[in-house]
Amino acid sequence: MRDIAIYGCGGFGREVLQILHALNAQEPQWNCLGFVVDPGFARPQSVHGLPVVDDISSLERGARANIAIAIGAPSVRRRVAEKLGALGHVFPTLVHPRAWIGAKVSLSEGVLVCANACLTTDIIVSPHVHLNLSVTVGHDAELGAYSTISPGANISGYVTLGEGVDIGTGATVIQGISIGDGAVIGAGAAVVRSIPPHCTAVGVPAKIIKTGQDTS
């Protein structure tokens, strides 16, 4: 059994805990020590019977800790990963047993894949991407680091996502589309044209309603 801590104690943190439970039901491999939050962040004393702390050193049992970063906001997730990575901590890739991962799918460090996600073939998933419940990703897609794909979103073949893209619940991205760094796609949107970096697009078909610069 390997020790692991979950960074973030909100709803997605509890879902990551369920991924660990599901993996352990197949074969015992993870011992969850508890949850970690940023110092000063309002926190309960425990979640699902596990302690919630603001100092990872109070949980870890060695210089290098396994950490699952369960923070939905891409820019915050990147900040936390860079801070913890500089301290020597490591980020395992966690895939729920009920996810379906096809041939030649590359999952980088810190990637979290929830139940019923489906990734077909020849896909590159960069570090610290979140693939939530029932997400689908088609062939030859490339997902940039720190991107968040919310529940029920559908990413078609040959789609390229830049770094830190946030795809809303139930959104659809048709084949061959590129979405630039830091772009936000609203829930239920249908993306039929490529989206520039740091834009927000909503609707069916998706239209850009906001442009801006990287604020991470």
Side-chain angles (χ1 to χ4, degrees):
M1 298 279 282
R2 291 180 286 170
D3 291 340
I4 189 170
I6 299 172
Y7 207 105
C9 68
F12 192 62
R14 286 178 277 128
E15 290 182 342
V16 171
L17 180 61
Q18 298 312 305
I19 294 176
L20 298 176
H21 288 335
L23 290 168
N24 286 341
Q26 285 196 326
E27 179 182 354
Q29 52 187 302
W30 293 108
N31 174 42
C32 188
L33 301 175
F35 298 87
V36 184
V37 299
D38 283 344
F41 189 85
R43 58 185 172 90
Q45 288 188 333
S46 66
V47 170
H48 286 205
L50 295 171
V52 181
V53 303
D54 61 7
D55 180 3
I56 194 169
S57 65
S58 64
L59 287 179
E60 66 184 15
R61 300 175 183 175
R64 290 163 56 90
N66 290 299
I67 302 173
I69 304 178
I71 297 173
S75 61
V76 179
R77 187 157 73 249
R78 177 169 58 187
R79 174 181 59 79
V80 170
E82 289 175 349
K83 177 183 71 174
L84 296 176
L87 295 173
H89 300 308
V90 295
F91 311 101
T93 298
L94 301 176
V95 179
H96 195 287
R98 291 202 303 275
W100 191 87
I101 309 296
K104 299 186 182 299
V105 174
S106 172
L107 301 177
S108 302
E109 69 168 4
V111 170
L112 304 179
V113 184
C114 293
N116 300 320
C118 177
L119 287 72
T120 60
T121 188
D122 299 288
I123 295 166
I124 297 173
V125 184
S126 299
H128 298 286
V129 170
H130 287 180
L131 296 162
N132 280 270
L133 295 164
S134 301
V135 161
T136 67
V137 182
H139 60 86
D140 301 286
E142 297 186 18
L143 311 185
Y146 303 103
S147 293
T148 295
I149 317 300
S150 296
N154 299 298
I155 309 298
S156 299
Y158 292 111
V159 165
T160 300
L161 303 185
E163 185 172 306
V165 172
D166 195 340
I167 305 291
T169 298
T172 298
V173 183
I174 70 166
Q175 184 161 322
I177 293 295
S178 294
I179 299 178
D181 294 349
V184 176
I185 306 302
V191 182
V192 300
R193 295 182 179 85
S194 292
I195 304 295
H198 311 300
C199 291
T200 299
V202 301
V204 180
K207 296 182 179 180
I208 295 172
I209 62 167
K210 182 179 179 181
T211 61
Q213 298 299 314
D214 185 7
T215 58
S216 60

